[in-house]
Amino acid sequence: MAKFPIPGRRSLLIGAAAAAGTTLAAGRFAAMAKPARDGATEGPWAVELFTSQGCNSCPPADAYLGRLAKRPDIVALSFHVDYWDYIGWKDPFASRETTERQRAYARVLKQRYVYTPEMVVDGIGHDTGREPAPIERLLAEAQRRSPRRATPELSRSGNGPLTIKLAAFDLGGKSADVTLAVYDRRHDTPINSGENQGRALANFNTVRHFELVSRWSGAAAEWTIPPENIGPLQGMAVLVQHADHGPVVGCNKLEPAYSG
């Protein structure tokens, strides 16, 4: 039976093998969680929104991500994709790298297409994020699957380097990728053309830089990230997930102590 996009999202076929939908598979900083001595904690859990300012289906998901970003048990990140830039508005925060991250998730989660808006929850499943209930169900499933977490300890003094520490953690014989995302807390953008013409869009936790820090064996480890790619008012998040975009086993965020 053929599978088609559900209403309320814009999709782009990628030739993968299955259907999309709700699918399982600056001075002072505020750290959101601290690991236990054995390296395991309860939460936070990760929500990654793939969005575009050129997509008129995305603003409700953008607003919901803004609410999730305020929760201490959630690491909420917004990745702007570039494949809708041609329809009338070039998203200033979009990049090929963020698009490729979404495509990697689509391959792992066996999606037939990529689409916006799409929220990937803890690397195990996805939904549009236009309504909270499906995402809350995915978060509950993530918490059930991964109640004990490899939560990184993050610290930074002033505008200096970022230190990431991970205590020893049993990865079940697998390896994990440690990924850093640096994000702007909020942007308000007037849209002058395209599907959202005439609107002022609010975007939250917009990722401006991300990089693979290391592949991790589960042994106690520490990394230092130089400050060149981290602005004084930007937030920082670290995701620890099974290699090649697998399930997230731990995450944390460090944010400047200001509201915005």
Side-chain angles (χ1 to χ4, degrees):
M1 181 175 64
K3 303 290 186 179
F4 297 96
I6 65 173
R9 72 180 176 202
R10 182 181 289 275
S11 62
L12 182 71
L13 289 172
I14 60 172
T22 304
T23 307
L24 292 178
R28 294 184 297 116
F29 290 84
M32 298 298 120
K34 294 182 179 180
R37 290 182 179 179
D38 64 354
T41 64
E42 295 182 356
W45 288 269
V47 177
E48 299 173 65
L49 170 64
F50 294 92
T51 186
S52 170
Q53 290 185 347
C55 165
N56 64 9
S57 300
C58 288
D62 295 326
Y64 179 41
L65 188 88
R67 298 194 296 273
L68 289 173
K70 297 178 181 179
R71 290 173 46 172
D73 63 327
I74 301 294
V75 171
L77 299 172
S78 179
F79 290 89
H80 289 232
V81 300
D82 66 355
Y83 49 81
W84 299 132
D85 284 357
Y86 77 94
I87 61 175
W89 176 259
K90 182 175 174 59
D91 190 322
F93 308 119
S95 71
R96 181 56 52 88
E97 291 77 17
T98 54
T99 299
E100 288 306 311
R101 182 168 180 84
Q102 185 187 27
R103 291 181 184 276
Y105 274 130
R107 290 189 291 270
V108 171
L109 296 175
K110 301 187 185 306
Q111 297 171 221
R112 186 166 173 252
Y113 43 76
V114 291
Y115 64 94
T116 56
E118 180 186 26
M119 283 187 180
V120 175
V121 177
D122 225 40
I124 68 165
H126 60 101
D127 196 80
T128 65
R130 289 171 55 85
E131 298 291 341
I135 300 303
E136 293 296 338
R137 286 194 291 269
L138 284 169
L139 282 168
E141 176 63 16
Q143 292 161 9
R144 185 191 69 80
R145 292 190 187 191
S146 180
R148 300 178 71 253
R149 306 284 277 177
T151 301
E153 180 181 343
L154 309 180
S155 60
R156 188 185 187 202
S157 178
N159 294 329
L162 171 69
T163 299
I164 305 168
K165 295 181 180 179
L166 276 166
F169 189 84
D170 183 4
L171 292 172
K174 301 178 181 179
S175 59
D177 289 336
V178 179
T179 301
L180 168 69
V182 180
Y183 55 91
D184 297 339
R185 301 286 294 283
R186 176 168 178 156
H187 282 286
D188 294 281
T189 307
I191 307 301
N192 298 320
S193 61
E195 292 187 344
N196 288 311
Q197 183 175 4
R199 304 179 68 174
L201 300 185
N203 297 115
F204 303 90
N205 288 15
T206 302
V207 174
R208 306 305 305 278
H209 170 79
F210 69 102
E211 64 180 89
L212 177 65
V213 175
S214 181
R215 185 151 285 184
W216 184 47
S217 67
E222 178 176 331
W223 301 271
T224 299
I225 307 299
E228 285 79 10
N229 289 321
I230 307 172
L233 296 179
Q234 289 183 307
M236 296 143 280
V238 172
L239 305 181
V240 183
Q241 62 189 128
H242 286 300
D244 299 320
H245 301 84
V248 175
V249 295
C251 57
N252 209 351
K253 57 186 176 181
L254 187 66
E255 296 178 340
Y258 85 107
S259 59

